[in-house]
Amino acid sequence: MLPLASLWRIARRDLAARIRGLRLLAVCLFLGVATLAAIGSLTRGITSELEVRGQTILGGDVEFSLPQRQATAEEMAGFRRAGILSATVRMRAMANDPDGDALLSELKAVDGAYPLYGTMRLESGPRKGPPPPGAIWIGKDMASRLDLQVGDRVTFGDKSFRIDGLIAEEPDRLGEGFTLGPVAIIGLSDLPATQLLQPGSLYESKYRLRLPAGADPATVGEALNKAFPDAGWDITDRSNGAPGTRRFIERMGQFLSLVGLAALVIAGIGVGNGVASYLAGKRPGLATLKVLGADSGTVARIYGLQILAVAAVSILAGLIVGALAPAIIGWVAGDVLPVKPGISIYPLPLAVSAAYGLLIAIAFALPPLAATRHVPAAGLYRATVSGAARIDRPTVIAVAAALAAIVALAVGTAREPMFALGFIGAAIGLLLILVALGWLVRRTASRLPRPRRPLFRLALANLHRPGAATGALVVALGLGLTLFVALAAIQTSITSEIRSTVPQRAPSFFVLDVPRSDAARFRAMVTDADAQAEINMIPALRGSVTEFRGVRVDELAELPEGAWVLRGDRGLTYSPVLPNGSELVGGAWWAADYRGPPLVSVEQEVASSLGLKLGDTLSVNVLGVEVQAKVASFRTVNWDNFGLNYVLVFSPGTFDAAPHNMVATVAVGGAAETALSRSIPRAFPSASLIAVRDVVSQVTTLLTQMSQAIAAAASIAILAGIAVLIGAIAASRERRVYDSVILKLLGATRGQILGAQGMEYAVLAAILAVLALGLGLAGAWYVVTQLFEFGFAPDPLIVALTLLGGAGLSFLIGIAGSWPLLSAKPARALRSL
C-alpha cells in the first residue's frame, strides 16, 4: 500500500488538473454548514449576551416580584439585610395630554437607588435615581404620538407631571418583559398622588438586590423564601434576567436549526450526485490506475482524499460565514433582535455544524466512491453501458453509522429531544416516500405499452432504462416542490389569521382596573355611546400557583413539561357561569348560587401538563394569602377570540376577602370607539384602555418576523434542493451524451432530442406536483397549527401559483441541464467508448 504522502501527491495533482466536477459537492456542503453555523452562532450569541448582561437586564443580582401588593416592613427589612435594595412599581396606565388625548403606557415608579446596574440615559445625558418631584421621563414614542416635548405636561391618574426628559436607554427594559405601550418613569414618592394604586389595582412591585461580592443569588432567594414562606413572590436571578426571551430564542433557534439540518441532509443528496458525476468523469483515470497495478483500495483512497479535501475547504468556508453571521445579522436586523449578539466566536455551534457537515459528506459520498472498488479496469472503461457496481456491506454499515451519528447529534444537542426526533423522523419519512415513488415510477414506466411515436417512446424509456436517474430526479424535484408548497401555505395561513380572522372576532378595547363599585356606571357610559355595544365584564386578580396534587411548586427541581402556568403570577377570576369561549370537557360546573368550599375549573391542556384529575387540589397565593381549591372541571378555551380567557376560573365567593377590580372587553362601532377612547380615561382615571388594533399590530409584527425567519432558513433548503436537481442531471450527463450521439447518428434533430428530455421532465414534474401538494400542505399544517397554534387557512390561488411556478422552474432547470448535450461531438464521444 502506498504511503499517505504519495497518495496525497497523486490526489492533489489530479485535483489541480480538474476540480470542476466537485463544485456541486462544495456548494452543497457550504450551504448546509453555513446555515447551521449561522443559526447556532446567532442563538448562542443572543443567549450569551443575555447571560453577560444578566445583572443589567434584571436590574440587580436577584429580583423579588409581587403582584398587586407592595412588600411589608418586615420583608423590606429582610431585603436590606441581604444587600443594597432598589424598589420599583410597574403598571399599565393612561397618559393624558392637555388636549384630552389619551395613550396607554407602562408607568414605572423608581426609588433613589435605581438603577443598581447599568445606566439610565435621557437624550440630555445619563441620570441616577428618579426624576425630580413632580417630574416625569417619557419614551420617545409617547412624545411623538401625543405631540409632547420637554417642558410640557402629561397627566397620570390625578397627578399632572412636567416632562423632564425623553428616555434614550432604560437599562432593565428587556427584563420588564412584554409591553403594550411606551414607558414613562416617575419617582416612587409621586406614585400615591396619582391615586392609581387602589385596592384591587393590577400592578407589580419589584425589589432588586445588589449582593455583596461572592454572595450566591440562589442561596439568598432560598433564605428569604424560608423567612417569608407566605410572601408569594416570584424570584429571578441574574443568570436568567429575561427568562421568557431566552426560552423563545432557544426554541426558535432549535426549530431553525432543525430546518437547517434538513437543508444539509437535502444537500447531502447533492453531495452524492456530485461525487457520482465527478467519478464518472474520472472513469479513464480510475481504469488507468488499476491497469498500472493500483488495487481497488488504493484507488478509493486517492479519490477519497480528493473528496475529503474539497469537503474540508467547503466546511471551513461555511464555518467562517456562520461565525460572522451574528454580527452581520445584528447590524442588518437592528432593533428586531432582543439584544445584539456580541462580536465573538462560539466554538460549540461551529463544532456541531462541522460535525454535521463531515458526517453528511461521509454518508453520501461513500456509496459512489465504494462502488468503484468492485469494478475491474475493463468494466470501468465500459461502465456507461454496463451500469454501476454493487456496494459492499462495510460501506452500508459505515453509511448507517454516519446517519445514526447525525440523528444522535441532533437529538443530543436539542433543547426538546422528542421534538427533534419527531422532526427528523418526518424528514426521513419524506425521503423514503420520494425514494419509493421513484422506484414506482420506474417500475410503472417499464410496464406501460410502448407508444407508437418515437419521441414519446424515447421519453418513456428514459424513465426506466438501466442507469436512469429517475430516482434521484424524483427526490430532487419532490423536495423542492414540497418546500415551495409548504412555505406558501405557511405564509398565507398566518396572513389570513392576522388580517381576516382576528379583526372579525376581536373587540374594540380591553379595559383594565374598572372599580367594582363603578361597574354599572361603566356599562351605562358605553351603552350611551353605542346602544348595540357588546360588553363582557369579569373580576380580575393575579396570583401564583403554589401547590397542585399536594406537590409544592417551590420544592420542584424542574417544572413539568408544558407547565408554563407555574412560572410567575397568573391572571385569576371567578364566575357563577361557564365563561364565553369555554367548553366543558370534564366534570361539572357549579351552581350559579354556589357558596361552598372553593372550587376551580382548569384549562384542559394545563391540567394534563400538571397531571390533574377531578377532585385534586390546587392552591394559589393571592396578596400573600394562600387559597386551596378542589378541581371541579376541565375546559377547552378558544384562545384566539380576543376575549377574556383564563386558565383558572374559581367558584363565586373564593376571593370575596381580596380587594380586586373588574376587566372588560368592549365592542362598539367606529364613531363610538373614537368617543370612548377619550371619555373612558377621563371618567375612570384608574382604568387602562387597550386598543385591540395595537395588540394586533404587535402580534402581526412578531409573527411576521418569525415566519420570515422560517422562510429564510427554508430558502436554504430550497437552494439545496435545486443543487440536488442539478447534481442529478449532472450525474446522468455522461450516459445522456452517448444517447444524444446515437440519436444524432440515427437522424434525430436537436429539437427532437430536447423534446424527449422535456417530456421526461414534464411527466415527473406533473406526478410530483400532486405529491408535493399533499406533503407540503401536511407540513405547513403542522407548523401553523402546532407551532403558531393558528387555524390552517392557506390561500388556494397563491399555493397553486407557487406550485406551478416551482414545477416550471424545475422543468426549466432540467431543460437547461440538457442543453449542453445537443452540442456533443459524435466523433469525440464515440472514441471514448
Side-chain angles (χ1 to χ4, degrees):
M1 184 178 70
L2 290 175
L4 182 60
S6 299
L7 293 174
W8 171 242
R9 189 181 308 113
I10 298 172
R12 180 173 54 80
R13 288 176 179 174
D14 186 52
L15 193 62
R18 189 174 182 271
I19 195 175
R20 178 180 175 183
L22 290 178
R23 287 184 302 186
L24 184 62
L25 163 71
V27 169
C28 288
L29 280 180
F30 170 78
L31 282 174
V33 172
T35 302
L36 277 174
I39 294 171
S41 295
L42 181 62
T43 303
R44 184 55 189 152
I46 293 176
T47 55
S48 295
E49 193 69 11
L50 291 176
E51 292 171 0
V52 170
R53 295 172 50 191
Q55 291 173 318
T56 302
I57 291 171
L58 183 66
D61 293 307
V62 61
E63 175 189 271
F64 298 82
S65 176
L66 287 166
Q68 289 187 275
R69 77 175 183 92
Q70 293 177 280
T72 64
E74 292 80 8
E75 291 167 343
M76 294 287 284
F79 293 148
R80 291 193 175 96
R81 286 194 295 270
I84 300 174
L85 172 66
S86 174
T88 65
V89 173
R90 180 171 170 263
M91 65 191 309
R92 294 186 178 95
M94 301 302 295
N96 298 273
D97 69 5
D99 296 329
D101 291 326
L103 177 68
L104 180 70
S105 74
E106 299 283 336
L107 183 64
K108 181 175 176 178
V110 303
D111 65 3
Y114 177 85
L116 293 176
Y117 291 99
T119 303
M120 178 71 203
R121 293 186 184 277
L122 305 180
E123 288 191 336
S124 58
R127 295 293 184 92
K128 177 71 176 177
I136 190 171
W137 300 328
I138 65 173
K140 287 180 280 188
D141 188 37
M142 180 185 294
S144 174
R145 294 172 67 178
L146 292 179
D147 194 21
L148 297 171
Q149 52 189 304
V150 175
D152 290 344
R153 303 195 73 82
V154 63
T155 301
F156 281 87
D158 293 341
K159 175 71 173 176
S160 175
F161 294 90
R162 179 182 59 82
I163 299 174
D164 183 60
L166 302 182
I167 299 171
E169 179 184 350
E170 182 187 2
D172 55 342
R173 169 65 191 86
L174 187 59
E176 298 286 13
F178 181 76
T179 61
L180 285 172
V183 69
I185 298 177
I186 62 174
L188 198 57
S189 59
D190 278 336
L191 186 58
T194 65
Q195 296 296 309
L196 294 174
L197 289 190
Q198 300 295 326
S201 296
L202 296 175
Y203 67 94
E204 187 176 29
S205 302
K206 293 186 175 182
Y207 300 90
R208 284 88 174 254
L209 296 179
R210 182 169 188 152
L211 301 179
D216 179 36
T219 303
V220 171
E222 291 174 3
L224 285 168
N225 254 343
K226 290 180 181 178
F228 304 97
D230 298 324
W233 48 45
D234 184 39
I235 303 176
T236 309
D237 65 45
R238 64 193 178 208
S239 65
N240 195 12
T245 300
R246 184 189 181 98
R247 284 194 299 273
F248 174 78
I249 292 296
E250 288 180 344
R251 286 177 178 174
M252 199 63 188
Q254 175 185 324
F255 178 77
L256 293 178
S257 293
L258 290 172
V259 173
L261 178 58
L264 186 56
V265 172
I266 294 170
I269 301 171
V271 168
N273 290 334
V275 171
S277 176
Y278 176 72
L279 292 176
K282 291 290 185 179
R283 192 177 299 113
L286 285 165
T288 300
L289 286 171
K290 286 194 173 185
V291 168
L292 294 175
D295 58 22
S296 296
T298 299
V299 173
R301 281 188 285 273
I302 290 173
Y303 287 96
L305 285 174
Q306 291 183 353
I307 294 167
L308 186 62
V310 174
V313 173
S314 303
I315 291 172
L316 180 60
L319 294 178
I320 292 173
V321 171
L324 297 176
I328 297 171
I329 294 173
W331 176 72
V332 173
D335 295 334
V336 171
L337 298 176
V339 295
K340 288 189 177 182
I343 300 176
S344 183
I345 302 297
Y346 304 100
L348 182 58
L350 296 181
V352 170
S353 302
Y356 278 132
L358 183 60
L359 289 170
I360 288 291
I362 291 172
F364 289 93
L366 268 182
L369 181 63
T372 63
R373 299 180 57 182
H374 306 286
V375 180
L380 284 169
Y381 276 120
R382 61 175 182 268
T384 299
V385 295
S386 62
R390 64 182 178 84
I391 301 174
D392 56 16
R393 181 176 294 178
T395 300
V396 173
I397 294 174
V399 170
L403 294 175
I406 292 170
V407 174
L409 187 60
V411 174
T413 57
R415 189 177 186 272
E416 299 176 12
M418 293 308 298
F419 175 78
L421 193 60
F423 189 97
I424 293 170
I428 293 174
L430 174 60
L431 290 176
L432 291 176
I433 289 173
L434 292 173
V435 169
L437 180 63
W439 175 85
L440 182 62
V441 169
R442 291 190 61 172
R443 185 173 179 83
T444 303
S446 67
R447 292 173 177 254
L448 288 175
R450 294 184 179 182
R452 303 179 72 178
R453 293 190 177 184
L455 286 183
F456 291 162
R457 186 185 307 169
L458 181 59
L460 183 64
N462 283 342
L463 293 174
H464 67 83
R465 62 187 177 151
T470 302
L473 289 172
V474 165
V475 172
L477 282 169
L479 288 171
L481 293 178
T482 299
L483 287 169
F484 276 125
V485 171
L487 282 177
I490 290 171
Q491 296 282 5
T492 56
S493 287
I494 293 174
T495 302
S496 173
E497 183 76 16
I498 294 171
R499 295 182 180 176
S500 302
T501 310
V502 170
Q504 290 174 2
R505 293 188 298 233
S508 306
F509 302 113
F510 292 107
V511 187
L512 311 180
D513 280 333
V514 178
R516 276 194 294 173
S517 58
D518 288 335
R521 185 163 67 93
F522 177 84
R523 286 182 179 274
M525 173 177 284
V526 174
T527 53
D528 286 345
D530 184 349
Q532 304 300 318
E534 296 180 9
I535 306 170
N536 182 25
M537 187 178 296
I538 63 173
L541 304 93
R542 294 197 70 82
S544 56
V545 178
T546 56
E547 171 268 335
F548 63 98
R549 294 188 293 108
V551 179
R552 300 294 301 182
V553 174
D554 56 6
E555 295 176 357
L556 291 173
E558 185 176 351
L559 297 183
E561 182 68 26
W564 53 267
V565 73
L566 303 180
R567 295 191 182 99
D569 60 289
R570 296 286 141 209
L572 310 174
T573 191
Y574 58 87
S575 176
V577 297
L578 185 67
N580 293 334
S582 291
E583 182 179 348
L584 209 62
V585 294
W589 200 260
W590 43 78
D593 58 351
Y594 179 81
R595 286 295 182 269
L599 302 175
V600 63
S601 178
V602 186
E603 194 273 334
Q604 185 181 30
E605 289 187 7
V606 169
S608 298
S609 68
L610 299 180
L612 290 173
K613 297 180 178 60
L614 295 176
D616 286 343
T617 61
L618 184 143
S619 301
V620 293
N621 187 299
V622 178
L623 299 174
V625 177
E626 188 164 306
V627 178
Q628 186 179 75
K630 183 180 291 186
V631 176
S633 65
F634 302 125
R635 295 167 294 118
T636 58
V637 178
N638 182 15
W639 294 107
D640 60 356
N641 66 357
F642 270 63
L644 298 173
N645 301 312
Y646 283 78
V647 171
L648 304 176
V649 179
F650 291 81
S651 58
T654 302
F655 302 115
D656 281 350
H660 58 276
N661 289 329
M662 311 292 286
V663 298
T665 60
V666 177
V668 293
E673 182 176 333
T674 302
L676 289 173
S677 66
R678 297 173 66 92
S679 61
I680 288 178
R682 290 198 297 267
F684 302 92
S686 64
S688 299
L689 197 71
I690 303 173
V692 170
R693 61 177 176 269
D694 294 337
V695 179
V696 172
S697 176
Q698 291 199 38
V699 172
T700 299
T701 300
L702 176 62
L703 292 177
T704 300
Q705 291 168 357
M706 290 176 65
S707 62
Q708 287 173 348
I710 292 172
S715 65
I716 302 298
I718 290 177
L719 289 176
I722 292 173
V724 170
L725 178 59
I726 295 172
I729 294 170
S732 62
R733 181 171 297 170
E734 292 295 324
R735 181 179 301 279
R736 292 183 184 271
V737 166
Y738 291 116
D739 291 344
S740 175
V741 167
I742 297 298
L743 289 171
K744 282 183 179 181
L745 292 175
L746 294 175
T749 65
R750 291 189 174 192
Q752 290 172 326
I753 295 172
L754 196 61
Q757 300 283 344
M759 289 179 193
E760 178 186 352
Y761 292 122
V763 168
L764 290 178
I767 294 172
L768 290 168
V770 177
L771 179 68
L773 184 62
L775 293 175
L777 289 177
W781 174 87
Y782 180 82
V783 172
V784 171
T785 61
Q786 303 302 310
L787 180 65
F788 292 104
E789 297 185 353
F790 279 175
F792 186 57
D795 187 313
L797 179 61
I798 293 179
V799 171
L801 291 175
T802 302
L803 181 60
L804 185 62
L809 176 63
S810 302
F811 176 79
L812 292 176
I813 291 174
I815 294 299
S818 301
W819 194 263
L821 305 179
L822 305 180
S823 59
K825 303 297 182 182
R828 181 183 302 173
L830 292 174
R831 280 197 299 269
S832 300
L833 285 173

